[in-house]
């Protein structure tokens, strides 16, 4: 099992350590290439955006506008906030220089001379680690003027956010970087045409940019040989929940889901020997799947950790690889309570710009609260279904979908559990803490 | 009572000026989030209207531009908080792994409810959304520090540690402001 991102240094923020393990060799190689050759290598690699959307990175790069005399920018999206996802924080903490090296190579390929890493404000430890690594890179001539005598200039800065999940959306992130509230912009124009300060901008996730380093080192063709089909390369998976060995795992895309959950190499099985109930495979926004569907595809084949296999059959029987935020729930988990938790999150994090999202997320949270309270009706379950369908696809940014999909999937796959809350509220346990957390009056 | 003068320390002012230079000329508004973090660290852990006005003057923007940003992002406190702001993650995996028990325990221990400050002014308790530490849930953040894999015993020891130090703890730790 190859590891390309967290391979040879388990934890080192030092430039000398990174260099002694082959660090910055890809940069030396890249600076001898033409920018378009680097873009071609990334296209050949089949690398897809690792932040969640899975859009081909090389194609995204090829869209950037190149008007004469207009500066271009690369912005790294390090605003990792999707519940269940913590891989970027891990990578930046343990191997900051791979991100910096990836930023320099990618900036060179895109013709950007001023680039930013927009990191989540809460991650101050990683912010300062990155700042120190950037300072060291400047001192070593890896940033600044005439990098390694190549004639290429790059200023790279780390910028901290202020706490807002919505800023992980690329246009909201751009607004935030401009010093405004993180309200997403209507597209088009896409950032590649008019991004930060109206200039052509590419926004890529931390893991995506880090992956450019091994792609240049090993060539795009070799990188594309790893994985299955259009799911090429390796992927960092953040595993959490009721498993014996939570943590960040770098897998070659294509590992069977069952192996990932139960093998000692990865999650080590379910905690306490309990049964698996459900998995959210790619961060809180992707559809939850019950055991039988997460382990097997609609065709009855073993489901693999790939973009295609996890999505097999559409949302009726599939889900998404997303950001790789793999949340495992055992048989004791209440899907309704878990959904309430997620719905509260999306309500809290909606920027409020679009009515369907602003009103719909709060409405769904209220109905779920009512159901948990034992005051729900069957009509409430139908209403939840109706509301989520009226949010999806009707908002400026994908937060609407992110809020709707978990609701749709939970009802689709676990409707009897919702009905149990409605029909036999006396069976409901542990409701009181919801009142306490939400300052409600108990009835 | 004399009004407290609102002015960054020399080190903080120099850091703010360095940060402003990271953005193109005329785009100094982009520095607003890091500058607000530094302001919160310099001025008792929260942003009063005069502090936000001061930030506006430094960035050469209108005060309203600072207010609308400060009120949007969850990390900025617009009213006084305790010396230690305890932020317990309540979302997703942290919920699965017992975050509610942690909140309940801290409430009982400090005799406050979520959102309140302890009588001695030392602690404010807040629940927050996912902090990207799901693999080491449950967790809470105090200042820049993530406290992970929490147990109730661990919470006891962490609270005791902060209490004995008695210092203001902020996200942008003052040690990073000093030259």
């Amino acid at each position: 099992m190859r590891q390309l991102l967290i391979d040879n240094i388990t934890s080192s923020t030092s430039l000398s350590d990174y260099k002694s393990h082959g660090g910055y060799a890809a940069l030396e190689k890249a600076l001898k290439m033409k920018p378009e050759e680097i873009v071609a290598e990334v296209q050949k690699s089949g690398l897809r955006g690792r932040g969640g959307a899975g859009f081909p990175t090389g194609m995204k790069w090829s869209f950037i506008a190149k008007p004469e005399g207009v500066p271009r920018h690369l912005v790294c999206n390090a605003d990792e906030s999707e519940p269940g996802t913590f891989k970027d924080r891990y990578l930046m903490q343990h191997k900051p220089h791979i991100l910096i090296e990836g930023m320099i190579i990618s900036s060179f390929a895109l013709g950007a001379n001023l680039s930013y890493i927009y990191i989540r404000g809460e991650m101050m430890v990683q912010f300062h680690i990155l700042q120190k690594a950037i300072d060291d890179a400047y001192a070593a001539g890896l940033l600044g003027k005439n990098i390694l005598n190549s004639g290429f200039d790059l200023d790279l800065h780390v910028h901290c956010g202020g706490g807002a999940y919505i800023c992980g959306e690329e246009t909201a992130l751009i607004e935030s970087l401009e010093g405004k509230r993180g309200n997403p912009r209507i597209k088009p124009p896409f950032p590649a045409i008019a991004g930060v300060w109206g200039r052509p901008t590419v926004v890529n996730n931390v893991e995506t940019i880090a992956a450019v380093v091994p792609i240049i080192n090993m060539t795009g063709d070799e990188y594309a040989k790893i994985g299955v089909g259009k799911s090429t390369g390796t992927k960092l998976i953040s595993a959490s929940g009721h498993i014996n060995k939570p943590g960040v795992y770098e897998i070659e895309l294509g590992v069977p889901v069952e192996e990932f959950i139960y093998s000692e190499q990865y999650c080590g099985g379910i905690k306490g020997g309990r049964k698996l109930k459900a998995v959210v495979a790619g961060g809180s926004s992707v559809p939850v799947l019950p055991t039988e569907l997460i382990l097997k595809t609609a065709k009855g084949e073993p489901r693999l950790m790939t973009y295609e296999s996890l999505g097999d059959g559409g949302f009726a029987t599939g889900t998404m690889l997303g950001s790789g935020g793999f949340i495992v729930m055992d048989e004791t988990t209440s899907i309704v309570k878990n959904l309430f938790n997620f719905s509260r999150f999306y309500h809290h994090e909606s920027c409020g710009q679009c009515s369907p999202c602003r009103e719909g997320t709060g409405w769904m949270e209220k109905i779920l609260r009512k159901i948990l309270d034992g005051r729900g009706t069957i009509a409430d379950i139908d209403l939840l279904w109706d509301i989520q369908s009226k949010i999806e696809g009707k908002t400026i940014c994908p937060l609407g979908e992110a809020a709707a999909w978990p609701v749709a999937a939970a009802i689709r796959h676990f409707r009897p559990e919702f009905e149990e809350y409605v029909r036999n509220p006396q069976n409901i346990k542990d409701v009181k803490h919801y009142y306490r957390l939400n300052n409600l009056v108990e009835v | 009572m004399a009004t407290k003068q609102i002015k960054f320390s020399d080190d903080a002012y120099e850091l703010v000026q360095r940060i402003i230079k990271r953005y193109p000329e005329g785009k100094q508004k982009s520095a607003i989030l890091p500058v607000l973090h530094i302001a919160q660290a310099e001025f008792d852990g929260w942003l009063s209207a005069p502090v936000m006005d001061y930030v506006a003057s430094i960035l050469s923007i209108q005060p309203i531009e600072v207010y609308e940003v400060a009120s949007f992002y969850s990390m900025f406190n617009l009213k006084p908080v305790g010396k230690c702001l305890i932020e317990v993650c309540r979302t997703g995996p942290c919920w699965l792994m017992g975050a509610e028990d942690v909140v309940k325990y801290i409430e009982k221990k400090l005799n406050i409810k979520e959102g309140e400050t302890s009588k001695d002014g030392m602690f404010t308790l807040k629940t927050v959304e996912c902090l990207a530490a799901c693999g080491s849930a449950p967790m809470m953040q105090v200042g820049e520090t993530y406290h992970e894999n929490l147990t109730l015993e661990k919470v006891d020891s962490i609270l005791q540690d902060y209490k004995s130090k008695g210092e203001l703890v902020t996200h942008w730790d003052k040690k990073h402001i000093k030259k």
Side-chain angles (χ1 to χ4, degrees):
Chain A
M1 190 59 66
R2 273 168 290 191
Q3 291 188 312
L4 306 176
L5 303 180
I6 50 176
D7 50 354
N8 47 20
I9 308 176
T10 50
S11 184
S12 176
T13 59
S14 136
L15 175 59
S16 58
D17 266 12
Y18 183 66
K19 276 188 159 179
S20 71
H21 288 84
Y24 289 102
L27 175 63
E28 288 189 33
K29 186 177 172 184
L31 291 175
K32 289 173 188 149
M33 297 164 72
K34 291 178 182 163
E36 54 271 28
E37 289 172 338
I38 298 171
V39 176
E41 284 304 313
V42 174
Q43 284 179 324
K44 279 191 266 184
S45 75
L47 177 68
R48 296 165 67 165
R50 301 300 197 219
F55 191 80
T57 305
M59 191 185 292
K60 190 173 190 177
W61 285 12
S62 71
F63 292 155
I64 194 162
K66 295 178 178 173
E68 285 293 319
V70 178
R72 297 188 283 277
H73 301 289
L74 171 65
V75 180
C76 171
N77 184 346
D79 192 61
E80 185 175 58
S81 319
E82 176 89 353
T85 310
F86 49 99
K87 65 187 176 77
D88 292 340
R89 187 173 78 95
Y90 181 90
L91 191 61
M92 290 186 288
Q93 177 159 348
H94 296 285
K95 210 169 168 182
H97 280 287
I98 195 170
L99 174 58
I100 293 168
E101 185 177 10
M103 285 296 290
I104 305 169
I105 295 170
S106 306
S107 298
F108 177 62
L110 293 163
N113 300 109
L114 176 60
S115 298
Y116 294 90
I117 300 169
Y118 182 110
I119 190 169
R120 198 177 165 182
E122 288 89 339
M123 298 179 186
M124 276 292 169
V125 168
Q126 291 73 20
F127 171 86
H128 292 296
I129 285 173
L130 281 172
Q131 186 60 62
K132 169 76 170 57
I134 288 171
D135 291 345
D136 291 346
Y138 267 105
L142 298 163
L143 283 169
K145 298 280 181 202
N146 192 22
I147 295 170
L148 300 177
N149 297 315
S150 64
F152 175 59
D153 304 336
L154 175 66
D155 281 315
L156 174 64
H157 302 293
V158 57
H159 174 99
C160 65
Y165 168 75
I166 190 62
C167 291
E169 195 279 333
E170 63 176 358
T171 61
L173 183 145
I174 287 168
E175 286 279 300
S176 183
L177 182 54
E178 290 182 358
K180 304 175 210 160
R181 299 166 79 107
N183 289 335
R185 296 175 180 173
I186 292 172
K187 295 189 277 192
F190 287 89
I193 306 297
V196 62
W197 306 304
R199 302 166 179 177
T201 303
V202 165
V203 180
N204 281 143
N205 171 259
V206 170
E207 186 187 349
T208 312
I209 290 172
V212 170
V213 174
I215 288 169
I216 294 303
N217 267 329
M218 69 196 297
T219 76
D221 284 333
E222 286 302 307
Y223 186 88
K225 287 178 186 168
I226 305 170
V228 176
K230 288 182 180 173
S231 297
T232 62
T234 66
K235 175 86 188 80
L236 297 179
I237 304 290
S238 323
S240 65
H242 298 139
I243 45 175
N244 285 316
K245 292 164 59 187
V248 175
Y249 296 98
E250 184 172 6
I251 62 163
E252 290 184 26
L253 284 166
V255 171
V257 171
E258 189 160 8
E259 181 186 335
F260 185 70
I261 295 173
Y262 289 102
S263 78
E264 276 309 305
Q265 189 181 356
Y266 301 117
C267 302
I270 311 296
K271 230 174 180 177
R274 289 190 286 271
K275 286 182 187 165
L276 175 66
K277 178 171 182 175
V279 172
V280 172
S284 65
S285 61
V286 312
V288 62
L289 286 187
T291 305
E292 60 276 16
L293 289 178
I294 191 65
L295 299 182
K296 303 274 184 201
T297 66
K299 297 167 193 157
E301 295 164 349
R303 204 181 281 281
L304 309 178
M305 304 282 275
T306 64
Y307 293 93
E308 293 75 23
S309 184
L310 280 165
D312 180 80
F315 287 170
T317 54
T319 183
M320 294 169 75
L321 178 64
S323 62
F326 199 86
I327 309 170
V328 177
M329 290 175 266
D330 72 15
E331 58 188 323
T332 66
T333 311
S334 161
I335 293 296
V336 184
K337 286 181 187 172
N338 185 64
L339 180 63
F340 169 79
N341 192 271
F342 284 165
S343 291
R344 182 176 58 186
F345 169 79
Y346 287 107
H347 179 210
H348 185 270
E349 297 300 335
S350 172
C351 80
Q353 205 178 188
C354 311
S355 305
C357 180
R358 181 184 64 243
E359 304 300 329
T361 52
W363 196 2
M364 293 194 298
E365 184 197 338
K366 277 183 191 167
I367 294 170
L368 283 161
R369 204 179 258 168
K370 187 180 164 195
I371 292 172
L372 283 170
D373 168 33
R375 293 183 292 115
T377 63
I378 295 296
D380 284 325
I381 305 171
D382 297 331
L383 183 58
L384 265 180
W385 180 269
D386 194 41
I387 296 168
Q388 65 79 24
S389 73
K390 287 182 170 56
I391 300 174
E392 185 184 3
K394 294 173 181 64
T395 53
I396 289 173
C397 84
L399 194 133
E401 276 81 52
W405 289 343
V407 176
I411 297 175
R412 183 183 291 124
H413 301 300
F414 296 94
R415 187 176 170 112
E417 195 170 317
F418 285 81
E419 292 179 355
E420 179 70 8
Y421 272 87
V422 169
R423 293 195 171 118
N424 298 302
Q426 69 277 10
N427 292 349
I428 302 166
K429 293 174 185 170
D430 302 328
V431 170
K432 287 185 178 178
H433 50 245
Y434 286 98
Y435 288 98
R436 180 177 45 73
L437 282 176
N438 294 286
N439 298 318
L440 298 175
V441 178
E442 288 183 38
V443 290
Chain B
M1 190 195 289
T3 307
K4 191 175 173 183
Q5 192 188 11
I6 294 171
K7 191 172 177 241
F8 279 134
S9 64
D10 289 347
D11 286 345
Y13 186 79
E14 193 192 303
L15 176 59
V16 165
Q17 293 306 318
R18 280 209 310 272
I19 288 172
I20 289 171
K21 284 181 187 152
R22 293 175 185 168
Y23 307 95
E25 204 176 332
K27 308 296 181 190
Q28 75 283 354
K29 186 180 174 182
S30 285
I32 191 167
L33 293 178
V35 173
L36 284 176
H37 280 299
I38 294 167
Q40 205 157 256
E42 287 266 299
F43 303 112
D44 302 323
W46 71 290
L47 301 172
S48 64
V51 166
M52 288 190 277
D53 293 347
Y54 175 63
V55 168
S57 71
I58 282 183
L59 294 177
S60 305
I61 57 178
Q62 295 300 315
I64 185 65
E65 295 179 82
V66 180
Y67 304 161
E68 64 181 12
V69 165
S71 60
F72 182 82
Y73 296 89
S74 63
M75 293 179 76
F76 301 121
N77 306 310
L78 302 183
K79 58 182 185 181
V81 292
K83 285 184 175 174
C84 282
L85 175 60
I86 302 166
E87 298 171 294
V88 184
C89 173
R90 66 177 184 180
T91 317
C94 276
W95 169 78
L96 280 177
M97 303 307 289
E100 288 176 342
D101 294 336
V102 172
V103 173
K104 197 174 176 181
Y105 184 73
I106 296 173
E107 283 182 335
K108 196 174 171 190
K109 178 104 186 160
L110 300 178
N111 196 26
I112 55 173
K113 293 285 180 195
E114 194 265 324
E116 294 177 352
T117 300
S118 59
K119 276 185 184 169
D120 60 2
M122 189 63 215
F123 297 105
T124 298
L125 175 64
K126 189 175 161 189
T127 52
V128 293
E129 305 301 343
C130 182
L131 286 175
C134 320
S136 41
M139 64 82 66
M140 64 185 193
Q141 180 170 19
V142 182
E144 69 173 36
T145 308
Y146 276 26
H147 298 280
E148 302 171 60
N149 297 305
L150 290 177
T151 59
L152 301 186
E153 293 74 27
K154 228 171 163 178
V155 169
D156 271 341
S157 143
I158 292 163
L159 295 182
Q160 185 53 46
D161 192 35
Y162 284 111
K163 193 168 185 176
S164 61
K165 285 178 188 159
E167 295 165 356
L168 176 69
V169 186
T170 53
H171 288 115
W172 195 303
D173 195 306
K174 282 199 169 187
K175 73 184 176 203
H176 300 297
I177 293 175
K178 286 178 191 160
K179 276 181 200 167

